[in-house]
Amino acid sequence: KNEVEQSPQNLTAQEGEFITINCSYSVGISALHWLQQHPGGGIVSLFMLSSGKKKHGRLIATINIQEKHSSLHITASHPRDSAVYICAVRPNFGNEKLTFGTGTRLTIIP
Amino acid sequence: ETGVTQSPTHLIKTRGQQVTLRCSSQSGHNTVSWYQQALGQGPQFIFQYYREEENGRGNFPPRFSGLQFPNYSSELNVNALELDDSALYLCASSFPGRNTIYFGEGSWLTVV
């Protein structure tokens, strides 16, 4: 079993829909990252969370440390949101190594 | 724009050859990590360098090696390339004590 599990693996939605992507992890963490990867391969950091909730534009990320679960929400989705969204965790101790989920491929249809 | 640049962006090598991938980080980012991402998978940690010393390693064989230089650039070297080494190689850097991580665009390696 992977230390970081994401669901769903693939998600297709109509433009304007509210999107939720989930991430569960099994280790103690000091931080959780939500990342966006476009087909060219480059990764952009969206959020870094250690507790609570963060919002940036139409994106909202929440984390529940006790339940070892985080969600990424996209409101009023747009075709340009189409990408792979990856959850990555940094363990409590040691170096800054990240453990990644396998990603959620999001496609927004106009 | 993350300030992290990788080169080359794409390359093709033959099995058994050696490859060097390069990463240039922002000034002051003295922690750099390298990741391998196979098609359809999440990135896997190869190793991390801090102040030019290896500071952690994932489950990769010794033919994967690295260097970090005082000018915040780094290299990933892979010897005796195998077909399964075909992947996107990502470099990520951060400023000490800060949680934000900056990724490069990656280097696509194809081994034939």
Side-chain angles (χ1 to χ4, degrees):
Chain A
K1 182 172 163 52
N2 292 334
E3 291 180 335
V4 182
E5 298 275 355
Q6 285 186 238
S7 63
Q9 288 188 327
N10 293 282
L11 177 58
T12 299
Q14 294 287 333
E15 182 175 357
E17 286 190 35
F18 181 80
I19 303 300
T20 295
I21 299 170
N22 296 299
C23 174
S24 296
Y25 52 92
S26 57
V27 297
I29 67 169
S30 62
L32 180 143
H33 295 259
W34 280 103
L35 309 165
Q36 181 191 56
Q37 185 171 36
H38 282 281
I43 290 180
V44 175
S45 178
L46 299 174
F47 294 103
M48 192 283 299
L49 295 163
S50 53
S51 65
K53 173 181 173 178
K54 286 190 177 179
K55 183 176 188 293
H56 181 69
R58 295 181 293 107
L59 301 178
I60 303 167
T62 64
I63 188 168
N64 185 317
I65 296 294
Q66 287 72 31
E67 295 187 4
K68 292 186 167 60
H69 181 268
S70 176
S71 293
L72 175 68
H73 305 284
I74 304 175
T75 61
S77 59
H78 190 277
R80 65 173 174 268
D81 297 326
S82 298
V84 175
Y85 292 84
I86 303 174
C87 166
V89 302
R90 178 183 299 163
N92 269 332
F93 302 104
N95 58 38
E96 296 179 18
K97 157 198 165 181
L98 293 178
T99 301
F100 292 77
T102 55
T104 295
R105 182 173 299 278
L106 174 65
T107 303
I108 303 297
I109 299 171
Chain B
E1 179 61 49
T2 65
V4 179
T5 56
Q6 291 187 241
S7 63
T9 55
H10 296 79
L11 72 166
I12 300 173
K13 288 285 190 178
T14 303
R15 189 171 49 183
Q17 284 188 314
Q18 179 267 343
V19 69
T20 297
L21 307 178
R22 295 180 173 83
C23 172
S24 177
S25 304
Q26 294 185 37
S27 179
H29 284 204
N30 55 16
T31 300
V32 64
S33 301
W34 284 89
Y35 296 88
Q36 180 196 65
Q37 186 177 21
L39 205 60
Q41 302 295 316
Q44 298 290 319
F45 175 71
I46 302 175
F47 46 58
Q48 180 184 78
Y49 277 78
Y50 173 68
R51 290 187 174 180
E52 303 163 48
E53 297 284 336
E54 189 177 292
N55 183 37
R57 188 177 184 93
N59 190 25
F60 281 81
R63 59 189 184 84
F64 285 77
S65 63
L67 286 171
Q68 185 185 27
F69 302 100
N71 65 351
Y72 307 108
S73 67
S74 62
E75 289 181 354
L76 165 64
N77 298 289
V78 187
N79 293 323
L81 284 166
E82 300 177 0
L83 298 179
D84 286 349
D85 296 333
S86 297
L88 174 68
Y89 290 85
L90 292 159
C91 160
S93 71
S94 60
F95 194 83
R98 305 267 179 88
N99 284 317
T100 303
I101 296 176
Y102 300 88
F103 286 85
E105 291 290 314
S107 293
W108 290 95
L109 171 65
T110 301
V111 182
V112 298

